């Protein structure tokens, strides 16, 4: 950790030639202030446009009906990483008891079934106890882990508001361009959609559960990665939550730049009056070589490009491969990560939420972000610079091609498809060669940052 230089300044100012580096405490204060200002700004935007803002949603978690069940419990699960087994048991029991009490009141008053109050309240209590009552490594571990849970919870609140914002910022959508690109990729949404429809309700239910419970998989992988933290007081230099949060911060910006709603809306009955026809998933729509921006409704988020579900599921897969010291992860985790990635890809395409082009862009974004964050002790060597710079350039090139070269791509589907998938495959191979081609010898202790 970077700390303030404990030596007194000689002569004041910067005359000693040392560059001032903000301390951990300063960075924390700045970060908390930025988060608070962001939440307030988003709440103002939400209130002015008559939808639920992040602060209002957070209030519901404390005294009302939570808007999510999974996220609060996943947040608490991350916070428990920093506690002893005894305190984990107490926290879980308290959260469950509070949830049951809240639900009893809701049931008696005719309210809905909704859990999530308990974990948010207990997570807040952990922060308060750690800050005021606990000390040393015990306190640092608890606050560090609780911060992960809080960030996960707050990021979901921000994401919810941002989806509303995409509808305001992008009244017109670019689906006609993307569907032309998908023609060169073999119309994967239509192919997988027909398969899911043919397979029946069991496969549909499994894919739907996987799609909506992404935070559960992320929590499981992260808890496994951080399982030694409470005992050793040592945190890995990189773990899944860091990638998850950065993807959630960067990816949604593109929603505003490249608004897309997905095939089930533009080419299916779910688009209602704004749909171009009842095509998805059984009939591939006729190719239109005069694509344009389509006016669309004000209730469907423009959250297709890139596919962040693909990015997050791919990050789960990558982080389920190895431990922090480079050793092979257990088979149950590796198979679980593989299943979650494949099922998520099946859901995104099979439910008509995304085009294949969205998935390619989401995967490229994830690999670039992961390359920037992975193994920070390695520094910014040539390999990392090439992967991050090349990934950013490829991501930008894909967006430009999707928007401005969609007609030539559709006119030359075979060659264009080979180029898109070939360049993507080359980038995947470069990522693999940089981070996974050689299995490092496990060190005596994992590369870590002490809390």
């Amino acid at each position: 950790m970077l700390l303030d230089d404990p030596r007194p300044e000689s002569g004041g100012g910067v005359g000693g030639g040392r560059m001032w580096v903000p301390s951990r405490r300063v960075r924390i204060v700045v970060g908390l202030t930025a988060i608070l200002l962001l939440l307030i700004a988003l709440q103002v935007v939400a209130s002015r446009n008559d939808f639920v803002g992040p602060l209002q949603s957070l209030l519901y978690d404390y005294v009302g009906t939570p808007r999510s069940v999974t996220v609060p419990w996943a947040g608490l699960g991350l916070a428990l990483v920093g506690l002893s087994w005894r305190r984990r048991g107490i926290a879980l029991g308290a959260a469950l008891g509070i949830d049951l009490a809240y639900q009893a009141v809701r049931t008696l008053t005719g309210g809905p079934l909704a859990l999530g109050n308990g974990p948010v309240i207990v997570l807040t209590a952990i922060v308060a106890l750690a800050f005021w009552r606990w000390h040393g490594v015990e306190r640092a571990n608890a606050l560090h882990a609780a911060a992960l849970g809080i960030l996960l919870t707050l990021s979901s609140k921000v994401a919810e508001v941002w989806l509303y914002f995409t509808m305001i910022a992008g009244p017109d959508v670019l689906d006609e361009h993307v569907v032309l690109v998908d023609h060169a990729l073999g119309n994967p949404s239509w192919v997988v959609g027909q398969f899911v429809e043919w397979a029946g309700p069991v496969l549909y239910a499994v894919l739907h559960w996987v799609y909506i419970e992404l935070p559960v998989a992320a929590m499981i992988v992260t808890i496994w990665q951080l399982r030694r933290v409470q005992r050793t007081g040592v945190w890995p230099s990189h773990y899944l939550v860091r990638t998850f949060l950065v993807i959630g911060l960067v990816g949604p910006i593109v929603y505003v730049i490249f608004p897309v709603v997905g095939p089930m809306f533009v080419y299916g009955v779910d688009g209602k009056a704004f749909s171009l026809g009842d095509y998805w998933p059984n009939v591939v729509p006729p190719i239109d070589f005069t694509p344009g921006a389509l006016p669309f409704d004000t209730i469907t988020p423009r959250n297709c490009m890139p596919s962040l579900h693909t990015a997050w599921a791919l990050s789960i897969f990558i982080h389920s491969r190895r431990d922090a010291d480079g050793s092979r992860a257990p088979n149950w985790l590796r198979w679980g990560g593989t299943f979650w990635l494949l099922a998520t890809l099946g859901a995104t395409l099979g439910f008509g939420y995304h085009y294949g082009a969205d998935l390619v862009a989401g995967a490229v974004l994830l690999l670039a972000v992961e390359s920037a964050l992975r193994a920070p002790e390695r520094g910014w060597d040539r390999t990392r610079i090439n992967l991050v710079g090349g990934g950013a350039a490829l991501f930008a090139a894909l967006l430009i091609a999707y928007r401005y070269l969609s007609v030539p791509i559709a006119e030359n589907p075979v060659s264009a498809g080979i180029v898109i998938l070939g360049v993507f495959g080359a980038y995947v191979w470069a990522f693999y060669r940089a981070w996974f081609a050689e299995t490092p010898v496990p060190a005596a202790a994992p590369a870590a940052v002490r809390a």
Side-chain angles (χ1 to χ4, degrees), residues 5-360:
D5 193 331
R7 295 170 295 180
E9 294 288 337
S10 57
V14 293
R18 290 191 301 272
M19 181 178 68
W20 178 77
V21 178
S23 68
R24 183 172 181 242
R25 178 173 296 181
V26 170
R27 295 199 306 272
I28 290 174
V29 171
V30 171
L32 291 177
T33 302
I35 291 172
L36 179 60
L37 292 176
L38 174 63
L39 293 176
I40 293 174
L42 291 177
Q43 182 60 52
V44 171
V45 173
S47 299
R48 289 183 175 179
N49 290 276
D50 298 321
F51 54 84
V52 177
L55 297 179
Q56 185 180 0
S57 179
L58 194 60
L59 180 63
Y60 291 159
D61 287 349
Y62 284 102
V63 297
T65 301
R67 296 175 66 82
S68 171
V69 176
T70 303
V71 172
W73 278 100
L76 179 61
L78 292 177
L80 296 183
V81 168
L83 304 183
S84 65
W85 279 105
R86 176 176 173 274
R87 286 174 175 164
R88 289 172 187 170
I90 295 173
L92 282 174
L96 182 59
I98 293 172
D99 251 357
L100 293 177
Y102 268 71
Q103 185 55 48
V105 173
R106 274 194 292 268
T107 301
L108 292 175
T109 57
L113 174 62
L115 303 177
N117 303 102
V120 172
I121 293 173
V122 171
L123 179 56
T124 305
I126 290 173
V127 173
L129 286 171
F131 190 80
W132 295 107
R133 299 289 299 274
W134 302 341
H135 303 281
V137 174
E138 179 183 55
R139 176 189 183 187
N141 284 341
L143 290 176
H144 195 154
L148 298 180
I150 292 171
L151 287 174
L152 178 64
T153 302
L154 292 181
S155 66
S156 71
K157 308 298 183 185
V158 172
E160 187 177 6
V161 176
W162 192 260
L163 292 182
Y164 284 102
F165 184 73
T166 64
M167 295 180 275
I168 300 172
D172 299 335
V173 299
L174 301 175
D175 287 68
E176 282 193 319
H177 291 273
V178 183
V179 78
L180 288 180
V181 176
D182 249 33
H183 178 62
L185 301 178
N187 302 302
S189 182
W190 273 260
V191 174
V192 180
Q194 291 176 32
F195 176 78
V196 171
E197 190 175 74
W198 169 83
V202 174
L203 179 62
Y204 180 93
V206 171
L207 296 182
H208 185 264
W209 181 81
V210 167
Y211 191 83
I212 64 176
E213 298 297 347
L214 189 68
V216 173
M219 179 189 66
I220 292 172
V221 174
T222 303
I223 288 176
W224 179 80
Q225 290 180 314
L226 303 179
R227 66 196 183 280
R228 300 188 185 97
V229 164
Q230 193 277 327
R231 177 172 53 84
T232 64
V234 174
W235 289 73
S237 60
H238 180 52
Y239 44 91
L240 177 61
V241 172
R242 300 175 75 238
T243 303
F244 242 65
L245 293 175
V246 173
I247 285 293
L249 180 66
V250 176
I253 297 174
V254 186
Y255 293 164
V256 178
I257 301 172
F258 206 117
V260 179
V261 292
M264 69 175 293
F265 296 105
V266 174
Y267 298 100
V269 295
D270 292 86
K272 298 182 174 60
F274 294 89
S275 172
L276 296 181
D278 185 8
Y279 296 106
W280 188 88
N282 296 311
V283 179
V284 176
I287 298 176
D288 182 1
F289 290 110
T290 58
L294 298 173
F296 213 74
D297 63 31
T298 57
I299 60 174
T300 306
R302 280 62 165 158
N303 62 337
C304 282
M305 182 66 69
S307 171
L308 295 193
H309 258 79
T310 297
W312 283 321
L314 182 56
S315 70
I316 289 172
F317 172 80
I318 290 172
H319 282 263
S320 66
R321 301 297 94 190
R322 291 181 182 171
D323 204 346
D325 62 358
S327 61
R328 179 186 172 95
N331 286 334
W332 67 267
L333 191 69
R334 294 171 65 90
W335 281 107
T338 303
F339 164 76
W340 216 274
L341 174 60
L342 295 178
T344 300
L345 297 181
T348 57
L349 293 173
F351 295 160
Y353 295 156
H354 288 279
Y355 303 92
D358 308 337
L359 274 62
V360 174

Side-chain angles (χ1 to χ4, degrees), residues 398-422:
L398 288 173
L399 295 183
I400 293 172
Y402 293 170
R403 176 63 178 85
Y404 298 106
L405 299 177
S406 57
V407 172
I409 289 174
E411 290 175 337
N412 304 277
V414 175
S415 56
I418 291 174
V419 170
I420 293 173
L421 296 179

